[in-house]
């Protein structure tokens, strides 16, 4: 394509509302235009990128044996009421009524719709397994849409759903989808990690997230560089210390700590390491039972893990009034010593192995030093993994130490099991003529989110650095003096036609602009390979090549330029 035929609208500065780098650069490059809160138009340049993602996703999904269909975006309330999610899904669901006052929603996801298809179309074990997928627009009414298409209300998604006669079949397809997703993100040229994850509101028994590694990622990931272990921090297991609790060396005694509430301040005030302190977090479960959660001072509570502790499947943090009523002390100085028996204590594994530690004295302005279990307080009612892992923790697979990095979730696969098929009576007839509930899997990719994630991973102060598979064009030709020099124009046109004939996705910048402006635009929109043609070089039969990813400018012979470009693209 020629720039004279392309709607190219670039900006020197991003609008004030843009926060993330990807949001700023997508607006500046003219990839998207804002219509309203969380709503964006994909401009011609952006749509080229989006379609490239779609095509790779589609090719790999087809290769896996999945079959594409397209379900309605608007869904009847009755299906969601069958699974109980009409109310549970909450205000994220955009609910609408038709002219007959019947309830519908603009689909945030399609588990109910696809299960309805399966229960009417798949009757026998002979039709299973079956994996359907679609690439379609979704709508979720985010309370605070932000970061451009990273967290938009309307977005493009690939969602797939598989149906099985037994769990073994589901596990097999799940493994295929894991491989398929790895192939997709590898072909897109992204640095990514697949991590074990919590199933969350979708439900099911097994789950993996696929994250593009980027500093702007909202998710913190734990991985072992010496093995394949990787997990979202919300799920990564913090192993129990490999040592037994040391014997007590100190007598418990009270120390004044005026105004020192945070463990960090207490440790500094007392001249102790932070890992000698214990923080107490007061929570209340749905039965109004008061709990005290104990964590080492340098550790943070993991709410997802805490939800898995018996009796804490749903909990909230206690109010100040509830804390004072239960412990006779305001928050900041509370601790586990001398508390009523009605208070249930849940200690992290690390705390259970501690001795001679510091904790709140349940007395304003005071803490206790030299505290030990069994001597000064009973062992906790429950010992569990309720903290986030930290860098240097042993890897749960026993093969090294954990490191942390940030990631942007772009894909998620679930073993749904029978969560939806059971509630919607999705049955099949097995080999013995018996009716059984189908097993299900669910597999999603945020197609539009992939574009933003790729930009977060690849950019510099000049603009976007797209991988070749994602770039709107793979190669650009920038002629110096295209409108002034017959020689330059003829060489540029001839090279452009040769590259097109060779199947290269090429953009010829035939605008009557200053060279600096053309270079700036090509760098901003992220084209990976640039060829520059000028009178001076042509006099020697040469043109210039520069890679957007970096490196020095190379002079290459004009008559070998096509082969040279092919070589660069194949590298």
């Amino acid at each position: 394509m020629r720039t004279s035929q392309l709607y190219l609208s670039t900006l020197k500065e991003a609008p004030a509302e843009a926060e993330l780098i990807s949001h700023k650069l997508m607006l500046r490059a003219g990839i998207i235009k804002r219509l309203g809160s969380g709503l964006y138009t994909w401009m011609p340049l952006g749509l080229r990128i989006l379609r490239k993602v779609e095509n790779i996703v589609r090719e790999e999904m087809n290769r896996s044996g999945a079959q594409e269909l397209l379900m309605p975006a608007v869904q009847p309330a009755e299906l969601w009421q069958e699974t109980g999610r009409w109310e549970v899904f909450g205000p994220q669901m955009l609910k609408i009524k038709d002219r007959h006052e019947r309830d519908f929603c603009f689909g945030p996801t399609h588990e109910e719709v696809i299960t309805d298809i399966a229960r009417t179309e798949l009757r026998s074990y002979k039709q299973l397994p079956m994996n359907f997928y679609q690439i379609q627009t979704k709508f979720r009414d985010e309370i605070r849409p932000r970061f451009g298409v990273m967290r938009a209300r309307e977005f493009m998604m690939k969602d797939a759903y598989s149906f099985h006669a037994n769990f073994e079949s589901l596990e097999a397809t799940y493994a295929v989808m894991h491989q398929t997703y790895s192939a997709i993100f590898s072909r897109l040229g992204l640095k990514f990690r697949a991590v074990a994850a919590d199933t969350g509101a979708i439900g099911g028994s097994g789950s993996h997230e696929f994250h593009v590694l980027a500093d702007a990622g909202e998710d913190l990931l734990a991985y072992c560089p010496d093995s394949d272990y990787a997990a979202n921090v919300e799920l990564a297991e913090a192993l129990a210390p490999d040592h037994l609790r040391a014997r007590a060396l100190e007598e418990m005694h009270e120390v004044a700590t005026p105004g020192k509430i945070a463990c960090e301040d207490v440790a500094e005030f007392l001249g102790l390491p932070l890992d000698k302190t214990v923080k107490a977090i007061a929570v209340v479960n749905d039965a109004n039972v008061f709990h005290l959660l104990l964590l080492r001072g340098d550790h943070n509570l993991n709410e997802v893990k805490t939800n898995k502790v018996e009796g804490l499947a749903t909990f909230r943090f206690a109010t100040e009034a509830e804390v004072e009523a239960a412990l006779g002390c305001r928050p900041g100085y509370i601790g586990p010593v001398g508390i009523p028996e009605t208070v249930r204590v849940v200690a992290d594994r690390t705390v259970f192995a501690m001795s001679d530690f510091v904790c709140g004295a349940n007395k304003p302005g005071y803490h206790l030093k030299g505290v030990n279990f069994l001597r000064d307080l009973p062992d906790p009612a429950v010992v569990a993994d309720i903290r986030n892992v930290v860098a240097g923790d042993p890897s749960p697979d026993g093969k090294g130490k954990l490191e942390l990095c940030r990631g942007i979730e772009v894909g998620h696969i679930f073993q749904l099991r029978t969560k939806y098929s059971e509630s919607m009576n999705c049955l099949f007839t097995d080999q013995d003529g018996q009716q059984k509930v189908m097993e299900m899997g669910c597999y999603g990719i945020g197609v539009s989110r992939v574009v933003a994630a790729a930009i977060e991973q690849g950019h510099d102060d000049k603009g976007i650095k797209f991988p070749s598979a994602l770039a709107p064009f793979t190669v650009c030709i920038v002629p110096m003096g295209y409108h002034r020099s017959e020689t330059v124009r003829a060489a540029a046109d001839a090279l452009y036609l040769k590259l097109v004939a060779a199947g290269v996705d090429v953009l010829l910048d035939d605008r009557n602009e200053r060279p600096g402006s053309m270079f700036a635009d090509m760098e901003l929109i992220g084209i990976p390979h640039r060829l520059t043609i000028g009178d001076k070089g042509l006099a020697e039969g040469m043109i210039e090549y520069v890679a957007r990813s970096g490196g020095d400018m190379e002079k290459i012979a004009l008559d070998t330029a096509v082969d040279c470009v092919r070589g660069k693209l194949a590298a």
Side-chain angles (χ1 to χ4, degrees), residues 544-555 568:
E544 295 176 355
Y545 166 82
V546 173
R548 181 69 182 88
S549 58
D552 296 330
M553 181 271 292
E554 301 176 35
K555 287 190 175 183
K568 300 289 185 184

Side-chain angles (χ1 to χ4, degrees), residues 238-241 243 296 299 347-354 383-384 387:
L239 297 179
H243 61 271
R296 202 170 75 184
H299 289 159
D348 181 67
R349 291 168 172 173
T350 309
V351 172
F352 186 66
M354 292 176 68
V383 177
R387 72 172 175 92

